Amino acid sequence: MPYAIAYVAVLVAFVAVDFVWLSKMGPLLYRPTLGDILLESPRFAPAIVFYLIYPIGVLAFAVAPALREESILPAIGWGALFGALAYATYDLTNYATLRNWTLQLTLADIVWGAVLTGIAAAAGYGAAAASRHWFAS
């Protein structure tokens, strides 16, 4: 049960915080850099698939180790590392292959992936740890 609760917490935190980032930074960072290669509106099906599967990685590589250690710090640290690596895969590939993709965008997005995933992993850990206490009572 704690893992199901953690999954939902990671999902909600990740989507909510990423929505704020994309709403604010889309017009300031992504649109000016990528210009005409961006769609007018996103393809929602692949976005939904990403948002549903990414928390599984966060659970496996950040939340589960933190729950074993009974500390939020591994969730934040492993979450940030997982996020940086996942986002680096995307961003460095784009930087290597897309004319409009810049180093500034690459670095900003990798840092964002680390911060966002660390936050989401902390939320997942917090929800799972709290649920252990709720269900143990």
Side-chain angles (χ1 to χ4, degrees):
M1 184 64 110
Y3 286 99
I5 291 168
Y7 174 85
V8 171
V10 169
L11 176 65
V12 169
F14 192 87
V15 170
V17 176
D18 204 31
F19 176 79
V20 172
W21 169 264
L22 292 173
S23 296
K24 300 294 182 190
M25 297 307 292
L28 298 175
L29 181 64
Y30 298 100
R31 186 146 308 273
T33 302
L34 301 175
D36 65 344
I37 69 170
L38 286 177
L39 295 170
E40 284 302 314
S41 66
R43 292 184 181 113
F44 287 104
I48 290 168
V49 171
F50 168 75
Y51 283 115
L52 291 175
I53 63 173
Y54 192 80
I56 296 168
V58 177
L59 286 176
F61 298 113
V63 176
L67 288 171
R68 282 193 296 276
E69 293 185 35
E70 297 183 355
S71 172
I72 197 169
L73 295 178
I76 296 167
W78 289 117
L81 179 61
F82 177 72
L85 293 172
Y87 276 61
T89 301
Y90 171 78
D91 288 301
L92 291 171
T93 299
N94 286 344
Y95 187 47
T97 61
L98 298 177
R99 180 179 55 252
N100 293 12
W101 204 270
T102 65
L103 180 59
Q104 176 190 6
L105 184 56
T106 299
L107 297 175
D109 212 47
I110 292 169
V111 170
W112 174 243
V115 170
L116 173 60
T117 308
I119 291 168
Y125 172 82
S131 75
R132 283 181 169 176
H133 296 294
W134 296 330
F135 292 112
S137 304

Coordinates of all heavy atoms in Angstrom, one line a residue, residues 6-39:
A6 N 2.7 6.3 -2.6 CA 3.9 7.0 -3.1 C 3.8 7.3 -4.6 O 4.1 8.4 -5.0 CB 5.2 6.2 -2.8
Y7 N 3.3 6.4 -5.4 CA 3.1 6.6 -6.8 C 2.2 7.8 -7.1 O 2.5 8.7 -7.8 CB 2.6 5.3 -7.5 CG 2.3 5.6 -8.9 CD1 3.2 5.4 -9.9 CD2 1.0 5.9 -9.3 CE1 3.0 5.7 -11.3 CE2 0.7 6.2 -10.7 CZ 1.7 6.0 -11.6 OH 1.4 6.3 -12.9
V8 N 1.1 7.8 -6.4 CA 0.1 8.9 -6.6 C 0.7 10.2 -6.1 O 0.6 11.2 -6.8 CB -1.2 8.6 -5.8 CG1 -2.1 9.8 -5.8 CG2 -1.9 7.4 -6.4
A9 N 1.5 10.2 -5.0 CA 2.1 11.4 -4.6 C 3.1 11.9 -5.5 O 3.2 13.1 -5.8 CB 2.7 11.2 -3.2
V10 N 4.0 11.0 -6.1 CA 5.0 11.4 -7.0 C 4.3 12.0 -8.3 O 4.7 13.0 -8.8 CB 5.9 10.2 -7.4 CG1 6.7 10.5 -8.6 CG2 6.8 9.8 -6.2
L11 N 3.3 11.3 -8.8 CA 2.6 11.7 -10.0 C 2.0 13.1 -9.8 O 2.2 14.0 -10.6 CB 1.5 10.7 -10.3 CG 0.5 11.0 -11.5 CD1 1.3 11.0 -12.8 CD2 -0.6 10.0 -11.6
V12 N 1.3 13.3 -8.7 CA 0.6 14.6 -8.5 C 1.6 15.7 -8.3 O 1.5 16.8 -9.0 CB -0.3 14.5 -7.2 CG1 -0.8 15.9 -6.8 CG2 -1.5 13.6 -7.5
A13 N 2.7 15.5 -7.5 CA 3.7 16.5 -7.3 C 4.4 16.8 -8.6 O 4.6 18.0 -9.0 CB 4.7 16.0 -6.3
F14 N 4.8 15.8 -9.4 CA 5.5 15.9 -10.6 C 4.7 16.7 -11.6 O 5.2 17.7 -12.2 CB 5.9 14.6 -11.2 CG 6.9 14.6 -12.3 CD1 8.3 14.7 -12.0 CD2 6.5 14.7 -13.6 CE1 9.2 14.8 -13.1 CE2 7.4 14.8 -14.7 CZ 8.8 14.8 -14.4
V15 N 3.5 16.3 -11.8 CA 2.6 17.0 -12.8 C 2.3 18.4 -12.4 O 2.4 19.3 -13.2 CB 1.3 16.2 -13.0 CG1 0.3 17.0 -13.9 CG2 1.6 14.9 -13.7
A16 N 2.0 18.6 -11.1 CA 1.7 20.0 -10.7 C 2.9 20.9 -10.8 O 2.7 22.1 -11.3 CB 1.2 19.9 -9.2
V17 N 4.0 20.5 -10.3 CA 5.2 21.4 -10.4 C 5.7 21.6 -11.8 O 6.0 22.7 -12.2 CB 6.3 20.9 -9.5 CG1 7.6 21.7 -9.5 CG2 5.8 20.8 -8.0
D18 N 5.6 20.5 -12.6 CA 6.0 20.7 -14.0 C 5.1 21.6 -14.8 O 5.5 22.3 -15.7 CB 6.1 19.3 -14.7 CG 7.1 19.3 -15.9 OD1 8.1 20.1 -15.9 OD2 6.8 18.5 -16.8
F19 N 3.8 21.5 -14.5 CA 2.8 22.4 -15.1 C 3.2 23.9 -14.9 O 3.1 24.7 -15.8 CB 1.4 22.1 -14.6 CG 0.4 23.0 -15.2 CD1 -0.1 22.8 -16.5 CD2 -0.1 24.1 -14.4 CE1 -1.1 23.7 -17.0 CE2 -1.0 25.0 -15.0 CZ -1.5 24.8 -16.3
V20 N 3.5 24.2 -13.6 CA 3.9 25.6 -13.3 C 5.2 25.9 -14.1 O 5.2 27.0 -14.7 CB 4.1 25.7 -11.8 CG1 4.7 27.1 -11.5 CG2 2.8 25.5 -11.0
W21 N 6.2 25.1 -14.1 CA 7.4 25.3 -14.9 C 7.1 25.6 -16.3 O 7.6 26.6 -16.9 CB 8.4 24.2 -14.7 CG 9.6 24.2 -15.6 CD1 9.7 23.6 -16.8 CD2 10.8 24.9 -15.4 NE1 10.9 23.8 -17.3 CE2 11.6 24.7 -16.5 CE3 11.3 25.8 -14.4 CZ2 12.9 25.2 -16.7 CZ3 12.6 26.3 -14.6 CH2 13.3 26.0 -15.7
L22 N 6.4 24.7 -16.9 CA 6.1 24.8 -18.4 C 5.3 26.0 -18.7 O 5.4 26.6 -19.7 CB 5.5 23.5 -18.9 CG 6.4 22.2 -18.9 CD1 5.6 21.0 -19.2 CD2 7.6 22.4 -19.8
S23 N 4.3 26.3 -17.8 CA 3.5 27.5 -18.0 C 4.3 28.8 -18.0 O 4.1 29.7 -18.8 CB 2.4 27.6 -17.0 OG 1.5 26.5 -17.1
K24 N 5.3 28.8 -17.1 CA 6.1 30.0 -16.9 C 7.3 30.1 -17.9 O 7.6 31.1 -18.5 CB 6.6 30.2 -15.5 CG 5.6 30.2 -14.4 CD 4.8 31.5 -14.5 CE 3.7 31.6 -13.4 NZ 2.8 32.6 -13.6
M25 N 7.9 28.9 -18.1 CA 9.2 28.9 -18.8 C 8.9 28.6 -20.3 O 9.8 28.9 -21.1 CB 10.2 27.9 -18.3 CG 10.6 28.3 -16.9 SD 11.3 30.0 -16.7 CE 12.8 29.8 -17.7
G26 N 7.8 28.0 -20.6 CA 7.5 27.7 -22.1 C 7.6 29.0 -22.9 O 8.4 29.0 -23.9
P27 N 6.9 30.0 -22.6 CA 7.0 31.3 -23.4 C 8.4 32.0 -23.3 O 8.8 32.7 -24.2 CB 5.9 32.2 -22.8 CG 5.0 31.3 -22.0 CD 5.9 30.1 -21.6
L28 N 9.1 31.8 -22.1 CA 10.4 32.5 -21.9 C 11.6 31.8 -22.4 O 12.5 32.4 -22.9 CB 10.5 32.8 -20.4 CG 9.5 33.6 -19.7 CD1 9.7 33.7 -18.2 CD2 9.5 35.0 -20.4
L29 N 11.6 30.4 -22.4 CA 12.7 29.6 -22.7 C 12.6 28.8 -23.9 O 13.4 28.8 -24.8 CB 13.1 28.8 -21.5 CG 14.4 27.9 -21.6 CD1 15.6 28.8 -21.8 CD2 14.5 27.0 -20.3
Y30 N 11.5 28.0 -23.9 CA 11.4 27.0 -25.0 C 10.9 27.6 -26.3 O 11.5 27.3 -27.4 CB 10.4 25.9 -24.5 CG 10.9 25.1 -23.3 CD1 10.4 25.4 -22.1 CD2 11.9 24.2 -23.4 CE1 10.9 24.7 -20.9 CE2 12.4 23.5 -22.3 CZ 11.9 23.8 -21.1 OH 12.3 23.1 -20.0
R31 N 9.8 28.4 -26.3 CA 9.3 28.9 -27.5 C 10.3 29.8 -28.3 O 10.5 29.7 -29.5 CB 7.9 29.7 -27.3 CG 7.3 30.1 -28.6 CD 5.8 30.1 -28.7 NE 5.1 28.9 -28.4 CZ 4.8 27.9 -29.2 NH1 5.3 27.9 -30.4 NH2 4.1 26.9 -28.8
P32 N 11.0 30.8 -27.6 CA 11.9 31.6 -28.3 C 13.1 30.8 -28.9 O 13.6 31.1 -30.0 CB 12.5 32.6 -27.3 CG 11.4 32.6 -26.2 CD 10.8 31.2 -26.2
T33 N 13.5 29.7 -28.2 CA 14.6 28.9 -28.7 C 14.2 28.0 -29.8 O 14.9 27.8 -30.8 CB 15.2 28.1 -27.5 OG1 15.6 29.0 -26.5 CG2 16.4 27.3 -28.0
L34 N 13.0 27.3 -29.6 CA 12.6 26.3 -30.6 C 11.7 26.8 -31.7 O 11.6 26.2 -32.7 CB 12.0 25.2 -29.8 CG 12.9 24.5 -28.8 CD1 12.1 23.5 -28.0 CD2 14.1 23.9 -29.4
G35 N 11.1 27.9 -31.4 CA 10.3 28.6 -32.5 C 9.3 27.7 -33.2 O 8.5 27.0 -32.7
D36 N 9.5 27.7 -34.6 CA 8.6 27.0 -35.5 C 8.6 25.5 -35.4 O 7.7 24.9 -36.0 CB 8.8 27.5 -36.9 CG 10.1 27.1 -37.5 OD1 11.0 26.7 -36.7 OD2 10.3 27.1 -38.7
I37 N 9.5 24.9 -34.7 CA 9.5 23.4 -34.6 C 8.5 22.9 -33.5 O 8.2 21.8 -33.4 CB 10.8 22.8 -34.4 CG1 11.5 23.1 -33.1 CG2 11.8 23.2 -35.6 CD1 12.7 22.3 -32.8
L38 N 8.0 23.9 -32.6 CA 7.0 23.5 -31.6 C 5.6 23.4 -32.2 O 5.3 24.3 -33.1 CB 7.0 24.5 -30.5 CG 8.2 24.5 -29.5 CD1 8.1 25.6 -28.5 CD2 8.3 23.2 -28.8
L39 N 4.9 22.5 -31.8 CA 3.5 22.4 -32.1 C 2.7 23.5 -31.5 O 3.1 24.0 -30.4 CB 2.9 21.1 -31.7 CG 3.4 19.8 -32.3 CD1 2.9 18.6 -31.6 CD2 3.0 19.8 -33.8

